[in-house]
Amino acid sequence: MSITSIVRKVFEKRQRELERHQTEGEQLQRQVLSRLLQQAKDTEYGRNHLFGQARNYEDFARNIPVNTYEELKNDIDRMRHGERDVLWPGRVKWYAKSSGTTNDKSKFIPVSNEGLQKIHYAGGYDSVALYLRNNPKSRLFDGRALILGGSHAPNYNLPDSLVGDLSAILIENINPLANMVRVPKKKTALLSDFETKRDRIAREALHKNVTNISGVPSWMLSVLNRVMEISGKTHLEEVWPNLEVFFHGGVAFTPYRKQYEQLITSPLMHYMETYNASEGFFGIQDDPADKSMLLMLDYGVFYEFMEMGTEQVIPLWAVEKDKNYAMIISTSCGLWRYMIGDTIRFTSTNPYKFVITGRTKSFINAFGEELIVDNAEQGLAYACQETGAEVLEYTAAPVFMDAHAKCRHQWLIEFSKSPNDLAQFASLLDHKLQEINSDYEAKRYKDITLQPLELIEARPGLFNDWMRQRGKLGGQNKVPRLSNSREHIEQLLMLNK
């Protein structure tokens, strides 16, 4: 009898509980809100915003403003210095370092012990529960899990307080028993230099029986390529014959899928997307045949949504399918009506299932075209399909007006497999964007507002070099995809010479 066949019984109760997501979404969310308000009513923020007097969602929405990081920053900084009962009861010791805001290089997201256990670890547990439900022949626990993580550092030199990548905080606090079934060693996993860590992870994992891998697709691919270099093998299943699943999240998988399928040719390989961020664990792909994810409704997260282009905020039970929403969360880490910066679109409301469409600040709308990351991913996937090309990394930004008074979008793309005809690839991408985005199509009409997009091929390793230069190589750091500003693309173009 395999170890997995024994361990899977542990997950059966939770698998049954998750069935409530199918029909009881509103009830689950109202219970979460009530619990959060009760727990935090005696905090400074709770007293100031009348948590104790809130009897329903309407009271909650009336008493608490929608917040960005800037509005909560001072309170979070006080918490980082050791103050108690500010946004969440007690002292919060861990802070997930996330990409910067308008005013700062980094955000520091509080991670309470409650949030750690009942949001972040709960999401990992449920990912396994749903995977085992869908794969009755799995032998997941008969081998090791290769889990990538970032690094952490002391927080204001306070005892036992850390700041760093969320993945590093999770590894630091994980149940010691879990270390028996994962690679690499904790010391290796928490190294700050990604290139050193990449090599050590590959060497430590090379001769282990790895059955599952977890991490951000871009950084995991880098580690796996190093495994292939050291092993001299052609396909990853020659190194790890029992590898069966990649739990991935952090960035869209579309640009990387073909590369993974070439690297791992086993028909038994599975891919399972998760939506886990510094702010919380929000979604899991519960059906392998459906690319959308199930919104996790019974963690310490209460969801609200703002339809893009409006300022109206609504609870989960008022959302509609096929609309683009900015997500707003209140959590057991002390984030209250916090605009996380991600946008999603619901594909179903019974149960609540969704796809990530982009970022509230990661889009190009310089000329009214409202191009979002979801459009970009679809366009690139189509152009790759038609030309046989493979995209490794990309970014795009507007050219507001050149010497000939022409405006256009400029794309900088690093290919793992370049198209034979770059101009054809650009044309296919441009036409697909017009097909799926009516605003972009209108601005491209007869080249009056927007000229055809410009495509520049990046040299190999450009994006890694740029991330290294900014101290953001590895961990949960991401290449910015779309931007109204030319700041990032100009830096990259200078390095591309």
Side-chain angles (χ1 to χ4, degrees):
M1 181 179 289
S2 76
I3 296 172
T4 307
S5 64
I6 300 169
V7 174
R8 70 164 58 245
K9 298 184 190 309
V10 174
F11 294 89
E12 289 176 354
K13 179 175 182 289
R14 181 56 182 164
Q15 288 166 347
R16 290 192 296 273
E17 290 175 353
L18 285 169
E19 292 175 6
R20 295 185 66 195
H21 282 61
Q22 302 291 323
T23 56
E24 300 177 38
E26 179 177 346
Q27 181 183 343
L28 289 171
Q29 275 289 277
R30 287 188 184 276
Q31 290 171 351
V32 168
L33 178 60
S34 177
R35 187 168 67 246
L36 289 175
L37 292 173
Q38 180 63 29
Q39 286 178 284
K41 63 183 173 61
D42 294 324
T43 62
E44 180 182 305
Y45 197 88
R47 292 192 302 271
N48 290 342
H49 293 89
L50 308 177
F51 282 17
Q53 299 176 32
R55 296 292 175 260
N56 49 41
Y57 168 72
E58 289 70 26
D59 290 345
F60 167 78
R62 186 185 311 112
N63 296 337
I64 305 167
V66 172
N67 294 299
T68 64
Y69 184 77
E70 282 73 18
E71 280 81 46
L72 298 178
K73 178 187 170 186
N74 288 338
D75 285 338
I76 291 173
D77 201 55
R78 289 167 54 205
M79 293 165 67
R80 287 185 63 203
H81 279 88
E83 287 195 43
R84 304 171 63 89
D85 303 320
V86 181
L87 294 171
W88 189 252
R91 180 184 164 213
V92 176
K93 298 191 293 183
W94 304 297
Y95 296 85
K97 190 175 180 181
S98 185
S99 55
T101 67
T102 305
N103 303 320
D104 293 288
K105 184 177 180 181
S106 298
K107 295 183 291 189
F108 298 93
I109 306 300
V111 182
S112 68
N113 187 59
E114 172 107 357
L116 193 66
Q117 300 298 331
K118 296 187 179 178
I119 300 176
H120 294 291
Y121 287 144
Y125 187 90
D126 283 353
S127 298
V128 175
L130 289 168
Y131 177 75
L132 292 176
R133 184 198 70 184
N134 293 332
N135 296 277
K137 295 182 179 179
S138 170
R139 299 177 70 92
L140 191 76
F141 288 98
D142 289 61
R144 300 290 189 96
L146 170 56
I147 303 173
L148 291 192
S151 60
H152 59 62
N155 170 50
Y156 286 140
N157 293 316
L158 292 177
D160 303 319
S161 188
L162 298 172
V163 60
D165 289 333
L166 172 70
S167 54
I169 293 171
L170 296 177
I171 289 170
E172 183 64 43
N173 290 282
I174 200 168
N175 187 316
L177 292 174
N179 289 318
M180 298 173 61
V181 295
R182 61 174 292 276
V183 287
K185 293 182 294 188
K186 183 177 175 180
K187 183 178 179 181
T188 300
L190 295 176
L191 284 172
S192 58
D193 183 279
F194 180 71
E195 290 171 297
T196 302
K197 175 157 65 177
R198 170 181 178 259
D199 184 70
R200 290 192 187 175
I201 291 173
R203 293 182 186 279
E204 287 181 27
L206 186 62
H207 300 296
K208 297 290 193 296
N209 177 27
V210 174
T211 60
N212 60 101
I213 55 179
S214 302
V216 177
S218 51
W219 304 126
M220 180 61 78
L221 189 62
S222 182
V223 169
L224 298 183
N225 283 333
R226 184 61 183 142
V227 169
M228 301 310 294
E229 290 169 6
I230 296 171
S231 70
K233 303 296 185 182
T234 305
H235 298 113
L236 197 61
E237 59 264 35
E238 297 175 73
V239 181
W240 300 322
N242 298 314
L243 180 65
E244 61 177 84
V245 60
F246 178 22
F247 298 100
H248 59 86
V251 298
F253 192 54
T254 303
Y256 305 99
R257 179 175 291 277
K258 195 165 185 180
Q259 294 166 74
Y260 274 91
E261 290 174 348
Q262 290 175 342
L263 182 63
I264 309 167
T265 59
S266 169
L268 302 178
M269 185 64 185
H270 302 92
Y271 297 91
M272 189 169 181
E273 185 171 9
T274 61
Y275 180 14
N276 51 327
S278 299
E279 295 85 353
F281 200 119
F282 309 123
I284 301 171
Q285 184 182 5
D286 67 323
D287 180 354
D290 183 356
K291 291 183 179 180
S292 59
M293 288 181 276
L294 180 71
L295 192 68
M296 308 313 294
L297 303 178
D298 59 354
Y299 299 172
V301 182
F302 179 75
Y303 301 96
E304 295 174 273
F305 301 90
M306 180 186 292
E307 186 178 351
M308 296 299 287
T310 77
E311 293 187 0
Q312 182 185 6
V313 178
I314 57 176
L316 176 67
W317 51 90
V319 300
E320 299 176 32
K321 289 197 305 181
D322 300 324
K323 289 188 174 182
N324 206 32
Y325 292 104
M327 194 160 78
I328 298 167
I329 57 172
S330 297
T331 79
S332 56
C333 291
L335 299 176
W336 299 106
R337 302 198 85 196
Y338 178 84
M339 188 170 286
I340 187 174
D342 289 339
T343 60
I344 71 170
R345 173 175 54 81
F346 284 94
T347 59
S348 165
T349 55
N350 189 25
Y352 290 98
K353 299 185 73 169
F354 68 97
V355 293
I356 301 169
T357 54
R359 299 278 295 169
T360 55
K361 294 181 180 178
S362 183
F363 58 85
I364 304 178
N365 194 29
F367 314 103
E369 65 275 47
E370 297 190 23
L371 191 74
I372 62 175
V373 173
D374 187 51
N375 300 156
E377 300 287 352
Q378 289 187 54
L380 288 169
Y382 173 74
C384 285
Q385 176 187 315
E386 294 298 306
T387 63
E390 296 172 17
V391 172
L392 186 62
E393 297 286 2
Y394 74 92
T395 193
V399 175
F400 293 97
M401 195 173 288
D402 62 16
H404 305 287
K406 301 295 187 183
C407 304
R408 63 188 180 280
H409 288 180
Q410 189 177 57
W411 291 67
L412 181 61
I413 301 179
E414 182 179 334
F415 293 96
S416 54
K417 181 181 178 183
S418 298
N420 293 328
D421 187 337
L422 207 63
Q424 180 198 18
F425 187 96
S427 177
L428 288 165
L429 172 59
D430 189 53
H431 282 91
K432 189 64 174 179
L433 293 176
Q434 293 181 58
E435 179 186 317
I436 60 181
N437 183 322
S438 58
D439 291 311
Y440 182 81
E441 180 184 37
K443 300 304 179 289
R444 283 283 294 110
Y445 181 68
K446 293 188 176 179
D447 300 349
I448 295 172
T449 303
L450 276 177
Q451 303 297 301
L453 65 84
E454 175 188 6
L455 197 161
I456 300 171
E457 183 168 5
R459 63 170 173 78
L462 171 68
F463 285 88
N464 266 9
D465 290 347
W466 180 66
M467 295 290 277
R468 184 187 300 109
Q469 189 180 82
R470 300 168 71 228
K472 292 183 177 291
L473 191 66
Q476 292 175 294
N477 298 303
K478 306 163 193 173
V479 172
R481 296 308 194 193
L482 305 179
S483 177
N484 266 345
S485 162
R486 289 192 57 79
E487 178 187 359
H488 295 140
I489 203 168
E490 290 291 356
Q491 294 171 2
L492 283 155
L493 290 170
M494 287 294 291
L495 279 179
N496 199 43
K497 292 179 178 177

